[in-house]
Amino acid sequence: MGTVGDAAMLRNVSDPTLTVYRPTNGKPNGIGVIVCPGGGWRILAWEHEGTDVAHWLVGLGYTAFLLKYRVRATPAAQADYDAEMAQLAAGIDVTRKAKTAFRAVGDIVPAKSFSDARAVAADDGRRAVAIVRERAREWDVDPAKVGMIGFSAGAFLVVDVALDPRAAPLAFVAAIYGGETLGRPIPKDAPPLFTCIAQNDVLLYRVVEGLYSDWTDAGRSAELHIYRRGNHGFGMAKQGMPSDRWIDQFRDWLTDLSFA
């Protein structure tokens, strides 16, 4: 769904992994954050939506867990992959804006093109939460203080986990430029939600607005930031745009949570 800069991307991930990053500020706070990069269920934006986020978190005393989840297989040759992505992009109507803007990711691209990969990614996310909670004491984390942050496809992943009754409970969930409920009920104990999006992210800004509305319609805590500019996939990259401020606002939101 788009990326920023020349950061490293991973493709054809078939074996999920979870990498632990311990606090580096000398003041561990006992809070664990599972980080889920995005990439349209085809790639993982490993740096500006992954390792950079983990390093930022540990500098503030959080314990980060970077999830490498499985993605859909793509052509091994870069040229073939680029051609496949160009064909996909050509089929998306980017002129849909305002009242006609997309309201669900399944309206952007056919659901059959990503539904299986999305389900597999959610399975990996659910397992990651279980592992972190089971081994939390080993990493000096309170099992009741484990949350998730995801970007783009990773944002859909964390919301899917938060809404799954089979998943272990989350203390909080941050869905960065992505995520939807698909009409599923919001649990009465759904975790606090942080979400943000750029208005010129023409594919997903209405989708994210819908996520926020669903959460607040259910009476659950939620915070939404919409930036005038920022495009899609900004992550930790600095673009000199309003969206650059999202990470500071996320920090303030985490600090404001009652357990922090």
Side-chain angles (χ1 to χ4, degrees):
M1 291 185 181
T3 57
V4 173
D6 298 320
M9 306 293 169
L10 304 182
R11 293 200 287 118
N12 293 319
V13 177
S14 57
D15 296 312
T17 65
L18 192 63
T19 304
V20 183
Y21 291 74
R22 306 296 291 269
T24 57
N25 70 342
K27 299 178 180 179
N29 59 20
I31 301 171
V33 187
I34 300 170
V35 181
C36 305
W41 299 284
R42 285 177 168 80
I43 63 173
L44 297 179
W46 198 241
E47 291 182 346
H48 73 290
E49 294 178 354
T51 56
D52 291 348
V53 180
H55 289 139
W56 179 87
L57 285 165
V58 299
L60 295 177
Y62 296 90
T63 302
F65 302 87
L66 180 53
L67 177 61
K68 183 193 295 182
Y69 58 89
R70 291 169 289 174
V71 295
R72 185 180 180 185
T74 55
Q78 187 64 37
D80 293 337
Y81 169 76
D82 292 342
E84 181 181 273
M85 293 304 296
Q87 183 179 16
L88 174 66
I92 299 175
D93 182 4
V94 296
T95 66
R96 290 180 55 167
K97 298 178 181 179
K99 288 185 178 180
T100 65
F102 297 109
R103 307 286 169 151
V105 71
D107 297 332
I108 302 172
V109 292
K112 66 179 184 298
S113 69
F114 66 85
S115 57
D116 288 347
R118 177 172 175 175
V120 167
D123 285 342
D124 291 344
R126 199 164 50 243
R127 180 59 180 150
V129 176
I131 290 172
V132 173
R133 286 176 61 90
E134 289 167 4
R135 300 176 60 184
R137 300 302 183 188
E138 176 184 337
W139 295 311
D140 299 318
V141 169
D142 184 335
K145 297 180 180 180
V146 176
M148 303 184 85
I149 181 172
F151 300 79
S152 193
F156 288 90
L157 184 164
V158 302
V159 172
D160 288 344
V161 171
L163 296 180
D164 191 335
R166 298 171 296 174
L170 292 170
F172 57 88
V173 61
I176 312 303
Y177 43 78
E180 63 186 351
T181 67
L182 292 174
R184 291 168 290 182
I186 308 298
K188 292 182 180 180
D189 60 349
L193 169 72
F194 177 94
T195 187
C196 62
I197 190 79
Q199 191 175 21
N200 63 352
D201 183 345
V202 296
L203 299 185
L204 290 178
Y205 82 98
R206 288 297 191 200
V207 177
V208 169
E209 288 178 349
L211 171 66
Y212 171 79
S213 295
D214 288 345
W215 227 259
T216 54
D217 283 350
R220 303 307 299 157
S221 173
E223 181 166 315
L224 166 65
H225 296 273
I226 301 176
Y227 308 107
R228 187 174 70 87
R229 295 185 302 126
N231 302 308
H232 185 77
F234 44 81
M236 295 292 285
K238 298 300 183 183
Q239 305 179 92
M241 295 186 185
S243 59
D244 290 355
R245 298 193 299 271
W246 81 270
I247 193 66
D248 297 322
Q249 292 165 330
F250 174 58
R251 176 202 60 210
D252 294 344
W253 177 80
L254 280 175
T255 301
D256 190 53
L257 293 179
S258 59
F259 63 76

